[in-house]
């Protein structure tokens, strides 16, 4: 029998357990019974917190996307210069991938894109990440309008996302600090040239 937890703690526990189960089996192969078994609760306990499997999965996407964005925003907020912000942002991103592999797989592993509603949620998360990146570009690249900043920000998010997927397939080689430094250097060199159009 499961220990009785306060509602918020139980909800957090169910989200954490469901994250692992969904990352392992995907949305369609995962059952609420399987999540309940792993969490050590009955299925009605899950339904006290989430209206359906789809609602639970959607909340997981939102929750993990928010955690990733918060990690990047926090890291870049404390960096002193735009160059350091780029380094800190990539460091936070790949630190998140390394420390929360199941969360990254859930967000960007591909399964979420096969369902229209979930794909829309992933796009919203990517846009929120691009918003955070665009803020750094806005501070540092004169002569580039808002539309161009957004486009460059999306490109940086896409670069990190694709690299993160490949990095997981390569069993996290090289280490997070190395891959973050390499991509930060690459992105910084590119950002230096964004405003320099002949």
């Amino acid at each position: 029998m499961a220990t009785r937890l306060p509602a918020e703690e139980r909800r957090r526990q169910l989200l954490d357990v469901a994250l692992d189960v969904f990352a392992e089996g995907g949305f369609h192969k995962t059952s609420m019974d399987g999540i309940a078994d792993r969490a050590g609760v009955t299925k009605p306990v899950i339904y006290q917190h989430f209206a359906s499997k789809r609602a639970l999965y959607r909340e997981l996407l939102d929750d993990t996307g928010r955690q990733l964005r918060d990690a990047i925003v926090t890291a870049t907020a404390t960096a002193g210069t735009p160059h350091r912000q780029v380094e800190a942002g990539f460091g936070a991103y790949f630190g998140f991938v390394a420390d929360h592999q199941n969360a990254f797989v859930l967000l960007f592993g591909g399964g979420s894109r096969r369902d229209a509603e979930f794909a829309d949620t992933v796009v919203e998360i990517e846009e929120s990440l691009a918003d955070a990146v665009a803020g750094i570009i806005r501070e540092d690249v004169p002569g580039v309008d808002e539309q161009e900043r957004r486009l460059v920000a999306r490109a940086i998010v896409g670069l990190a996302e694709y690299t993160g997927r490949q990095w997981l397939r390569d069993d996290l080689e090289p280490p997070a600090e190395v891959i973050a430094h390499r991509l930060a250097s690459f992105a910084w060199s590119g950002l230096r040239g964004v405003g320099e159009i002949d």
Side-chain angles (χ1 to χ4, degrees), residues 18-182:
L19 171 64
D20 292 339
V21 178
F22 279 126
E24 291 164 13
F27 177 75
H28 294 293
K29 291 182 181 178
T30 297
S31 69
M32 293 294 258
D33 285 317
I35 295 169
D37 287 345
R38 184 83 67 92
V41 299
T42 61
K43 191 159 66 169
V45 170
I46 297 178
Y47 284 113
Q48 289 172 2
H49 296 274
F50 307 98
S52 65
K53 182 172 86 165
R54 180 166 284 275
L56 171 55
Y57 193 85
R58 170 71 190 261
E59 185 158 339
L60 272 173
L61 290 174
D62 288 336
D63 184 57
T64 54
R66 187 169 40 253
Q67 287 180 44
L68 175 56
R69 184 180 191 282
D70 288 351
I72 293 167
V73 168
T74 300
T76 58
T78 58
T81 65
H83 190 183
R84 297 285 300 152
Q85 286 180 307
V86 171
E87 291 176 343
F90 276 105
Y93 191 97
F94 285 95
F96 182 91
V97 178
D99 295 340
H100 305 283
Q101 293 177 40
N102 283 347
F104 187 82
V105 167
L106 186 87
L107 282 173
F108 303 123
S112 298
R113 297 186 192 276
R114 295 188 193 108
D115 178 288
E117 178 189 355
F118 300 149
D120 287 346
T121 300
V122 172
V123 168
E124 289 170 14
I125 291 164
E126 290 169 332
E127 288 297 311
S128 76
L129 295 174
D131 286 342
V133 173
I136 296 170
I137 297 169
R138 184 178 303 114
E139 295 292 325
D140 191 59
V141 184
V144 176
D145 68 25
E146 186 63 27
Q147 186 175 4
E148 291 172 311
R149 287 184 191 104
R150 294 282 306 158
L151 189 60
V152 170
R154 287 184 185 116
I156 291 171
V157 169
L159 170 69
E161 182 184 321
Y162 181 80
T163 304
R165 289 198 311 269
Q166 296 302 314
W167 188 51
L168 286 179
R169 287 187 192 132
D170 294 340
D171 294 323
L172 307 182
E173 291 293 338
E177 313 80 59
V178 173
I179 196 74
H181 176 72
R182 297 278 187 255

